Amino acid sequence: SQTIHQWPATLVQPVGSPLSLECTVEGTSNPNLYWYRQAAGRGLQLLFYSVGIGQISSEVPQNLSASRPQDRQFILSSKKLLLSDSGFYLCACTLQGYLDTEAFFGQGTRLTVV
Amino acid sequence: DAKTTQPTSMDCAEGRAANLPCNHSTISGNEYVYWYRQIHSQGPQYIIHGLKNNETNEMASLIITEDRKSSTLILPHATLRDTAVYYCIVRVPSYSGAGSYQLTFGKGTKLSVIP
C-alpha cells in the first residue's frame, strides 16, 4: 500500500528565512501529489497539486512554490517566510485510473514562523 | 468539484449512532461523494465513498439520497476515538473519464463523542 513520508514533523523558523519541506511516496508510481495547509482552527487549504514530473498547478497566490523533481518526490519551498505561513502542512497523493479510490495523507509538518 | 455544506459541529453520546449530514445540491452526474476524517494533529483518513447506491464498510455507512443532493455518514456505534473533524467532498475520480485532479476540502463537521 501507499505510504507518504513527510519531514520534518515540526519546524520553527524565523521570519524571512527560507523553507524546504519534502514529501516522498512509496508503494506506487505516477501518483497525483498535493500540498495542503491548515491554519490553526481552520480547514484544509489546497496549495498546489501535480499530475506529473515538472507539472505544478497553484491554487492560491502566495510566497510559496512547489516542485516535483522526481515522480514520487514533492517539495514545498519559500525564499522568505512570513508570519502568516505558520500552519500544519500536509502532503497527499491520489492514484491514477481504477486505483483512484481515496487520497492518502502524510502525517504533516507543523511550521511555526517566529 | 461541487461545493458541500456541513454543520460546523455535532455532539454524539458514546455508543449511539452518529449521523453526519452533508449537502451537495450542485453535484453533477459523475461526481462521487467521499468522506474523510481528521483526528487532531494528524493527516486526514479516508472513510468511505459512493456514487448513488448506499455503501457500507467496516468503519461506516454512507446513505445518498435518490436525487444525490445530500448524503449522511453513519457511524453505527460511536466511540471516544471517533471524535474528529469529518469532511464531505465531491469529486470525479480519474477512472470516470473526466477525472478532476483537484481534491478540495471544506471546513467539515467537528464531531465530539461524549462519554
Side-chain angles (χ1 to χ4, degrees):
Chain A
S1 64
Q2 295 65 235
T3 304
I4 298 184
H5 299 282
Q6 275 188 256
W7 64 90
T10 59
L11 189 61
V12 179
Q13 291 283 98
V15 169
S17 64
L19 173 73
S20 180
L21 299 181
E22 187 165 343
C23 167
T24 59
V25 180
E26 288 184 358
T28 189
S29 58
N30 196 29
N32 302 315
L33 296 174
Y34 307 82
W35 276 113
Y36 289 87
R37 178 173 60 201
Q38 188 171 36
R42 307 287 295 275
L44 289 161
Q45 180 186 33
L46 179 61
L47 301 175
F48 301 94
Y49 68 93
S50 170
V51 300
I53 296 173
Q55 301 178 62
I56 308 294
S57 296
S58 174
E59 289 298 294
V60 292
Q62 58 212 319
N63 71 319
L64 299 171
S65 62
S67 62
R68 186 170 177 175
Q70 300 181 44
D71 180 46
R72 291 174 288 177
Q73 184 185 30
F74 205 23
I75 298 172
L76 183 70
S77 304
S78 174
K79 292 182 180 178
K80 289 185 179 181
L81 283 169
L82 306 173
L83 287 174
S84 58
D85 292 324
S86 293
F88 189 46
Y89 288 82
L90 287 157
C91 179
C93 81
T94 58
L95 306 184
Q96 297 281 355
Y98 283 93
L99 298 175
D100 181 12
T101 56
E102 62 187 276
F104 301 89
F105 284 82
Q107 288 305 299
T109 295
R110 188 162 302 282
L111 171 67
T112 303
V113 182
V114 295
Chain B
D1 290 343
K3 291 183 178 180
T4 61
T5 305
Q6 298 177 254
T8 302
S9 63
M10 292 181 65
D11 291 341
C12 177
E14 188 178 15
R16 304 295 296 270
N19 298 288
L20 295 107
C22 179
N23 181 286
H24 31 79
S25 58
T26 59
I27 193 170
S28 60
N30 58 353
E31 286 183 308
Y32 284 63
V33 180
Y34 290 77
W35 283 84
Y36 289 79
R37 73 180 182 184
Q38 185 178 22
I39 296 171
H40 183 61
S41 296
Q42 297 182 21
Q45 174 192 24
Y46 165 84
I47 300 172
I48 199 167
H49 76 286
L51 181 62
K52 50 186 176 182
N53 296 324
N54 297 337
E55 303 287 342
T56 296
N57 63 21
E58 65 278 4
M59 290 182 68
S61 295
L62 173 60
I63 308 299
I64 303 174
T65 58
E66 191 169 346
D67 63 8
R68 301 206 328 118
K69 293 185 177 182
S70 65
S71 62
T72 301
L73 178 74
I74 301 173
L75 307 179
H77 305 287
T79 71
L80 298 179
R81 288 176 295 180
D82 292 322
T83 293
V85 177
Y86 286 77
Y87 296 98
C88 165
I89 66 173
V90 292
R91 66 181 285 259
V92 181
S94 56
Y95 54 78
S96 292
S100 168
Y101 299 107
Q102 294 188 8
L103 191 62
T104 305
F105 287 75
K107 294 183 179 179
T109 296
K110 182 177 174 61
L111 174 69
S112 298
V113 180
I114 312 299

